[in-house]
């Protein structure tokens, strides 16, 4: 069994810097999805430094509006402009998009492809299997409380019946992630697994959850896991899955 670990971070804020520093402290890298209208508050140099440190830079559009509520031309503007701005900063291709609010439809997907992206990430949780469509990439966990109404979805997708005995675990994201990964490692699972953790740095700061986030990273560091970016996941894992 191969164990892949993906970190992605949404939204432009000064707290992106803190997340990146913690990742680097534990020798991890992530994909940072930035909305470009507020890049001035973060600073172009920070974006360059993130990329130079080995992190991936992805687009979160220009103004972080719900793309499903925009006209075709507005969607193209949000996708194309943000991509071009970020590429001009890092002097390299921006391959991946995170849908604002995780919302998309067929028109949005068509325009994401048209404007040159290679993948797009949703916020659909509890995915551990390969997702063959790179424009509907799901995640596994948030570093936020998970909704109790998603309990049965979590049990079904994670194949983790023990969660039924303690549904409030969904509200303790750090313990939830640690216990699930421990469960995976203690069982002879023959298929490869991908754990994709989505973080909103602003929410971590609002709840002052930095200690919980760092504790999780410390736990993950001692595990035999291959840490890859979203685009590396698309290239390595999905391409391998298609070959099989």
């Amino acid at each position: 069994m191969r164990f892949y670990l993906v970190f992605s971070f949404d939204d432009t804020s000064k707290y992106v810097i803190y997340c990146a520093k913690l990742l680097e402290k534990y020798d991890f890298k992530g994909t940072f999805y930035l909305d470009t209208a507020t890049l001035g508050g973060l600073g172009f140099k920070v974006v360059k430094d993130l990329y130079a440190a080995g992190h991936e830079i992805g687009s979160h559009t220009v103004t972080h509006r719900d793309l499903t509520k925009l006209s075709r031309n507005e969607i193209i503007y949000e996708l194309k402009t943000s991509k071009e701005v970020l590429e001009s900063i890092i002097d390299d291709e921006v391959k991946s998009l995170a849908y604002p609010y995780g919302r998309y439809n067929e028109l949005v997907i068509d325009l994401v492809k048209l404007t040159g992206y290679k993948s797009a990430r949703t916020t659909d949780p509890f995915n551990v299997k390969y997702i063959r469509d790179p424009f509907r990439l799901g995640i596994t966990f948030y570093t936020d409380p998970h909704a109790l109404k998603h309990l049965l979805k979590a049990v079904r997708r994670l194949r983790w019946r023990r969660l039924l005995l303690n549904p409030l675990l969904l509200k303790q994201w750090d313990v939830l992630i640690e216990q699930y990964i421990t469960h995976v490692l203690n069982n002879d699972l023959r298929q490869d697994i991908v754990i994709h953790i989505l973080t909103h740095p602003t929410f971590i700061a609002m709840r002052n959850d930095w200690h919980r986030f760092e504790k999780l990273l410390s736990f993950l560091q001692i595990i035999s896991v291959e840490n890859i970016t979203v685009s590396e996941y698309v290239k390595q894992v999905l391409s391998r899955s298609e070959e099989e």
Side-chain angles (χ1 to χ4, degrees):
M1 180 187 78
R2 287 171 293 197
F3 193 154
Y4 297 95
L5 178 63
V6 180
F7 294 100
S8 61
F9 301 82
D10 283 8
D11 306 335
T12 300
S13 77
K14 64 181 180 181
Y15 301 111
V16 162
I17 301 170
Y18 297 100
C19 286
K21 286 181 177 179
L22 285 176
L23 283 185
E24 291 158 18
K25 178 179 178 179
Y26 292 95
D27 200 27
F28 289 125
K29 59 186 175 182
T31 298
F32 288 84
Y33 289 105
L34 305 175
D35 37 297
T36 56
T38 54
L39 273 184
L42 181 62
F44 288 6
K45 184 179 184 302
V46 171
V47 180
K48 285 184 177 181
D49 290 346
L50 284 172
Y51 185 71
H55 303 293
E56 179 181 12
I57 302 299
S59 167
H60 207 26
T61 73
V62 177
T63 61
H64 199 284
R65 289 187 289 171
D66 183 344
L67 296 176
T68 65
K69 296 181 178 179
L70 303 182
S71 69
R72 178 186 176 90
N73 286 342
E74 287 174 322
I75 297 170
I76 291 175
Y77 167 78
E78 291 284 340
L79 299 174
K80 188 171 183 291
T81 304
S82 60
K83 190 174 191 294
E84 290 175 346
V85 168
L86 292 169
E87 288 177 342
S88 70
I89 296 172
I90 66 173
D91 194 28
D92 204 347
E93 182 182 8
V94 169
K95 300 177 181 178
S96 190
L97 170 85
Y99 299 113
Y101 311 105
R103 296 172 190 157
Y104 63 95
N105 54 28
E106 292 303 322
L107 173 61
V108 170
I109 291 177
D110 287 344
L111 295 179
V112 168
K113 296 176 182 178
L114 180 67
T115 48
Y117 293 93
K118 304 297 191 299
S119 69
R121 200 217 68 217
T122 73
T123 55
D124 184 40
F126 311 123
N127 293 285
V128 292
K129 292 183 178 181
Y130 300 148
I131 298 177
R132 293 182 181 275
D133 187 344
F135 296 95
R136 290 182 174 85
L137 296 175
I139 63 165
T140 316
F141 299 109
Y142 311 106
T143 55
D144 299 292
H146 295 71
L148 290 176
K149 66 181 180 181
H150 294 150
L151 174 63
L152 294 182
K153 177 192 285 188
V155 171
R156 183 178 69 254
R157 289 185 171 182
L158 298 174
R159 295 185 178 179
W160 192 28
R161 291 181 178 272
R162 184 174 175 273
L163 190 56
L164 291 171
L165 302 177
N166 186 13
L168 290 179
L169 195 59
L170 288 172
K171 296 297 184 181
Q172 301 172 275
W173 57 264
D174 51 338
V175 181
L176 174 70
I177 296 171
E178 288 188 21
Q179 289 197 11
Y180 178 70
I181 290 176
T182 300
H183 159 75
V184 168
L185 295 176
N186 287 340
N187 286 272
D188 184 21
L189 301 181
R190 300 190 179 279
Q191 77 274 15
D192 292 352
I193 191 168
V194 180
I195 301 293
H196 187 150
I197 300 173
L198 166 60
T199 295
H200 290 83
T202 302
F203 296 166
I204 291 285
M206 286 172 57
R207 293 192 302 266
N208 195 25
D209 273 350
W210 295 112
H211 63 293
R212 296 175 68 185
F213 186 60
E214 183 166 7
K215 178 175 173 287
L216 175 63
L217 294 177
S218 177
F219 166 78
L220 293 170
Q221 186 189 40
I222 63 175
I223 296 171
S224 179
V225 59
E226 184 176 349
N227 173 218
I228 55 179
T229 65
V230 172
S231 288
E232 287 171 341
Y233 165 64
V234 171
K235 182 178 179 180
Q236 296 179 23
V237 183
L238 292 184
S239 62
R240 184 180 296 125
S241 178
E242 289 174 358
E243 290 173 2
E244 295 172 355

